[in-house]
Amino acid sequence: MNLKEFAARIGLSQTTVSRAMSGYPEVKPETRARVLEAAERLGYRPNISAQRLATGRAGAIGIVFQGGGRFGPHSSEFMGGLSTRLQEDGIDILVSTVETEAEEEAAYRRFAASKRVDAVILHMPACTDARIALLQALDLPFIVHGRSEAQKPFAFLDIDNFGAIETATRHLAGLGHRRIALINGDTVSTYARDRDDGFRAALAAHGIAVDPTLVGHGEFTDETGFRLMQSFLAQRPAPTAVIAGSMMSALGAMRAIRIAGLTVGQDVSLIAHDDVFPYLSPDNLVPAVTTTQSPIRAAGERIGDMALRLLQGEAPERLQDVWPVDFLIRGSTGPAPG
């Protein structure tokens, strides 16, 4: 059925129905809920082209990935969650891949000038990120996946990276470990800086000095985890515990530990941050891996919801959320070897 027929069936004007389905903030929540319920029950789907023409919206959210390494398993899971939420409201995703910061800036400027997207998602923010000021100057709505320092408030969703790694480090220190290694990302990024700060704070609380040779940085891949763990195990004395920034790097670390003739959970304890990949469960590894956990797909869904709320007129400062991180103890951690 068309808009006119649907509106007549539920006893509302065509304008009210169109505005309710487009998420206009002046439509009462109960009216929007009534329209969406009736649309689902009657199988009504709006004419997207006509709806976009009437609202002046593009019906799309943009995201820019810089460099091929930025689009890996983590990005894929995040995009899956984002897409799931946006599809509920008939919103598309426009992805642009670039190689340099200059190309990334140009991509955002094209988004703003062409009006092909209604908002953008900014990912992996730096501690101070020029992209935030740029998007604010372009008056292009955006949500940040992470946090950053900025003069004006902006919408964001982050996890408690500081608390996650602090908790993991305290747990290991409580088991008697004094030589604890960390596989982290690049501390130019806020999440990696927060994890580094949490690591250092927990060590200080237990009177343990930070050994810079036991802190490594790089992409969260199996190969990076393997190479960094090999370098840690070459130190004397070698570490008795390691914290890996992702399950991917944890796989590499476990491989390096085994090649060295050591046993995970006995000779070397291991904790990983788990973004919850459907194809890589810490419960199914041997031994099962102790993790800090926060599902990245759920973050994608939540950011999609926040983007829609932003477009409906909600203030950015009301769209700021930091999720706590779960800590799950399994077989890969144990007392420091005597």
Side-chain angles (χ1 to χ4, degrees), residues 161-220:
N161 284 291
F162 178 98
I165 302 306
E166 182 189 38
T167 297
T169 309
R170 283 181 177 271
H171 178 69
L172 292 171
L175 290 171
H177 295 277
R178 291 297 179 269
R179 297 281 290 170
I180 304 172
L182 174 66
I183 299 173
N184 198 2
D186 187 344
T187 51
V188 168
S189 297
T190 309
Y191 82 90
R193 180 203 62 185
D194 289 349
R195 291 181 179 187
D196 188 74
D197 289 347
F199 178 68
R200 293 171 182 273
L203 290 181
H206 283 82
I208 304 172
V210 176
D211 183 343
T213 65
L214 295 183
V215 178
H217 306 277
E219 297 286 345
F220 288 145

Side-chain angles (χ1 to χ4, degrees), residues 67-122:
R70 293 283 184 94
F71 196 91
H74 301 82
S75 300
S76 178
E77 275 299 290
F78 175 81
M79 292 291 286
L82 178 65
S83 176
T84 296
R85 176 60 188 91
L86 294 180
Q87 284 180 2
E88 294 176 8
D89 282 52
I91 304 297
D92 298 323
I93 301 175
L94 181 58
V95 178
S96 179
T97 57
V98 298
E99 294 299 327
T100 66
E101 291 182 3
E103 290 177 352
E104 186 172 20
E105 178 180 336
Y108 287 126
R109 291 188 181 278
R110 285 197 303 273
F111 279 159
S114 66
K115 300 189 183 301
R116 289 186 297 164
V117 300
D118 300 308
V120 297
I121 309 301
L122 192 154

